[in-house]
Amino acid sequence: MPELSAIRTDQLFFHYSVDDTEESSEYDLHCHPTYELFYLISGSVSYLVEGRQYHPVPGSVLLMRPGVFHGRRHEGGTYERGAVHFSPLLLEEANRNRLLAPFHDQGGNGCYYTDADACGFSSLFEALSVCAGFPEPERVLCSRYAVETLLASLVHMSKSRRSDVSSPTVSGVVNDVLWYLNEDIAKPVTLDALSAKFFISKHHLNKVFRAATGTTVMEYVIRKRVMLTQQLMQEGRTSTEAAEKAGFGDYSNFYRAYRRITGHAPSADKVVHDTVNVAGQLSLL
């Protein structure tokens, strides 16, 4: 895909590109330890976010906080978009909570706003694109303030209008299972135990769960736990400590899952480079 502009730093991955793709039938599902802002400029695409479908229109933005399981599906044709993945450490500490507030609206599993351009979003996004052409260290300084200004616009947007409603794909039992799992993703869980708790056969549970989220129950849990270990390692934990705290009882199982999902060993994710590695290795865009 033609990459028109991009910024990669320790705490920020910004990407703006145009692609001409064929229609896809599957969502490229993943989760990651960064905040994500997706901006659709033109074209057609759909998103699946924790069992809810979004069909962004040009000029709209979709916000997702860390740990949210989501995926994008192309609907064919030319597709122009941008995305900003960032660590909260990118933001000034005094402004951090306020600027991140829109990502946590409605539980933070996906906040969607149409006609973002009415709030000046397109010009602010273009300003971030301009930063990509600056040399270091001006690029880092410029992009940081550009992201904060962009987020300030979203704060205003969230106060002046309600987040648009998505199309629910989650049945009652799947919604209950998702809530139970995310209450503490590190707690011991088996398909047998979930089947007994929610009075549903294992086969049917996996069937309705996959229909709603795009993946099986246990794959969902494993991917969320891998993401949690990345967050914990960012905070300075060793991979062994992070794996144990995330619910992996056996380190060899954790190691295999980590390599399968991220494409590299836990040791490759140095503390200051986690955000960049996740953005690059998982092909989030």
Side-chain angles (χ1 to χ4, degrees), residues 66-242:
V68 169
F69 200 75
H70 63 283
R72 183 195 65 248
R73 184 178 67 192
H74 296 163
E75 297 184 351
T78 301
Y79 174 44
E80 183 179 6
R81 80 285 197 186
V84 182
H85 301 264
F86 65 95
S87 163
L89 298 178
L90 175 72
L91 311 176
E92 292 281 358
E93 186 173 2
N95 303 326
R96 195 172 298 161
N97 289 341
R98 186 176 182 183
L99 293 177
L100 293 177
F103 289 84
H104 297 272
D105 288 348
Q106 301 181 4
N109 284 340
C111 299
Y112 171 61
Y113 296 95
T114 58
D115 195 21
D117 292 346
C119 293
F121 195 87
S122 60
S123 60
L124 294 172
F125 185 84
E126 289 172 6
L128 184 55
S129 297
V130 170
C131 295
F134 289 1
E136 300 290 357
E138 288 82 2
R139 180 189 303 146
V140 174
L141 183 63
C142 172
S143 60
R144 176 179 184 176
Y145 288 115
V147 169
E148 288 198 339
T149 304
L150 198 66
L151 296 180
S153 174
L154 290 173
V155 171
H156 169 70
M157 193 183 307
S158 68
K159 289 182 176 181
S160 61
R161 65 179 76 172
R162 291 181 59 84
S163 174
D164 290 273
V165 178
S166 64
S167 303
T169 63
V170 179
S171 65
V173 66
V174 175
N175 187 64
D176 291 343
V177 171
L178 283 170
W179 184 90
Y180 174 77
L181 294 174
N182 284 296
E183 185 182 29
D184 180 8
I185 198 66
K187 64 175 171 278
V189 61
T190 65
L191 205 54
D192 285 327
L194 290 174
S195 174
K197 181 176 180 63
F198 293 98
F199 306 101
I200 183 174
S201 73
K202 293 186 293 183
H203 173 75
H204 189 60
L205 174 57
N206 254 336
K207 181 179 179 179
V208 295
F209 194 91
R210 180 187 284 275
T213 67
T215 192
T216 64
V217 174
M218 296 313 298
E219 180 66 10
Y220 176 89
V221 171
I222 289 170
R223 285 181 174 268
K224 286 247 177 174
R225 286 178 175 175
V226 167
M227 178 281 307
L228 180 56
T229 63
Q230 290 175 318
Q231 286 185 300
L232 293 170
M233 286 191 291
Q234 284 182 4
E235 296 169 3
R237 307 265 185 149
T238 66
S239 59
T240 302
E241 293 171 334

Side-chain angles (χ1 to χ4, degrees), residues 1 8 13 15 28-38 47 64 68 70-74 79 81-86 223 230 261 274-285:
M1 69 183 69
R8 292 176 175 85
F13 178 50
H15 185 100
D28 58 337
L29 294 163
H30 54 267
C31 60
H32 47 81
T34 55
Y35 286 86
E36 178 179 355
L37 181 157
F38 171 82
Y47 258 83
M64 288 161 286
V68 169
H70 63 283
R72 183 195 65 248
R73 184 178 67 192
H74 296 163
Y79 174 44
R81 80 285 197 186
V84 182
H85 301 264
F86 65 95
R223 285 181 174 268
Q230 290 175 318
I261 291 169
D274 280 347
T275 301
V276 177
N277 286 340
V278 171
Q281 293 291 343
L282 294 184
S283 299
L284 300 183
L285 298 176

